[in-house]
Amino acid sequence: MDLVKLEELMSDDIEIIVQQFLELHSDEAISSSRQKVKCKYIERSREDGDNRIWNNYFAPNPVFPEHFFRRRFRMSIRLFNRIVERLKEHNKWFSQRFDAIGRKGFSLQQKCTSVIRQLAYGVAADEIDEYVRIGESTAILCLQKFCSSIIEIFGEECLR
């Protein structure tokens, strides 16, 4: 076999292989976009989480005294409330809104409690769900927005 015929055969084989590769991967891309699985909605009773936080620490007669709050949150209630108020003024995302069917969304205390617990204890975002009733993705979003807002609000005053 001469060299020219061998090169022609090889180039034909390479073209076939490249063509098959492209067809295979374009089919995978199309089929993978069609096979996306929708996450199942989990009713977390976010109102119960908000009521639990309120009754435990912020009600006129709270379940736990102030020194429990300090120990669990690593800050005083006054400092926590100051942070909450400044966040509410600075970033509309931290205000309580209503969802599409008119239910109250997560309260500011829930969002901040989720973040403070993550920061104070170093717990994973999905661990917050049982007490605060916030899912993992929302807890992560709270942490991101909280940190960026805190830097914007208190950066020059407190951070070096």
Side-chain angles (χ1 to χ4, degrees):
M1 200 180 265
D2 67 341
L3 190 60
V4 175
K5 286 186 178 181
L6 184 62
E7 286 178 350
E8 286 176 10
L9 286 173
M10 285 178 59
S11 67
D12 288 343
D13 289 343
I14 291 173
E15 284 180 31
I16 291 171
I17 291 169
V18 168
Q19 191 68 26
Q20 288 176 345
F21 178 80
L22 291 173
E23 288 174 8
L24 176 68
H25 284 285
S26 66
D27 289 345
E28 282 179 10
I30 292 169
S31 65
S32 68
S33 66
R34 290 182 189 155
Q35 294 175 355
K36 286 185 180 176
V37 178
K38 217 174 184 184
C39 293
K40 183 181 176 190
Y41 175 74
I42 297 172
E43 175 54 51
R44 288 187 164 81
S45 302
R46 61 180 167 245
E47 297 87 356
D48 292 341
D50 187 35
N51 290 336
R52 183 180 303 120
I53 293 168
W54 175 259
N55 291 332
N56 285 347
Y57 301 108
F58 301 104
N61 294 318
V63 173
F64 300 106
E66 191 170 338
H67 69 275
F68 276 67
F69 185 91
R70 177 179 279 287
R71 189 175 73 209
R72 291 178 178 162
F73 286 77
R74 315 258 195 253
M75 67 177 64
S76 69
I77 289 178
R78 288 188 309 283
L79 177 58
F80 182 87
N81 287 332
R82 178 177 173 226
I83 291 170
V84 165
E85 287 303 314
R86 295 288 299 272
L87 282 171
K88 187 167 51 172
E89 294 168 3
H90 179 75
N91 190 337
K92 286 186 179 184
W93 189 85
F94 283 101
S95 62
Q96 188 172 26
R97 298 180 301 241
F98 292 88
D99 66 9
I101 60 170
R103 281 181 55 204
K104 282 184 178 180
F106 294 111
S107 72
L108 187 53
Q109 281 79 15
Q110 276 176 295
K111 293 174 183 177
C112 289
T113 298
S114 141
V115 171
I116 299 298
R117 292 256 169 142
Q118 289 178 70
L119 294 173
Y121 295 114
V123 298
D126 65 339
E127 210 172 308
I128 304 296
D129 190 17
E130 291 178 7
Y131 178 70
V132 183
R133 308 307 247 174
I134 290 181
E136 179 182 13
S137 61
T138 307
I140 291 169
L141 183 61
C142 287
L143 182 64
Q144 292 169 341
K145 291 192 176 285
F146 181 89
C147 290
S148 63
S149 295
I150 290 297
I151 291 168
E152 291 170 10
I153 296 168
F154 297 106
E156 289 185 26
E157 177 184 342
C158 299
L159 302 175
R160 295 177 194 185

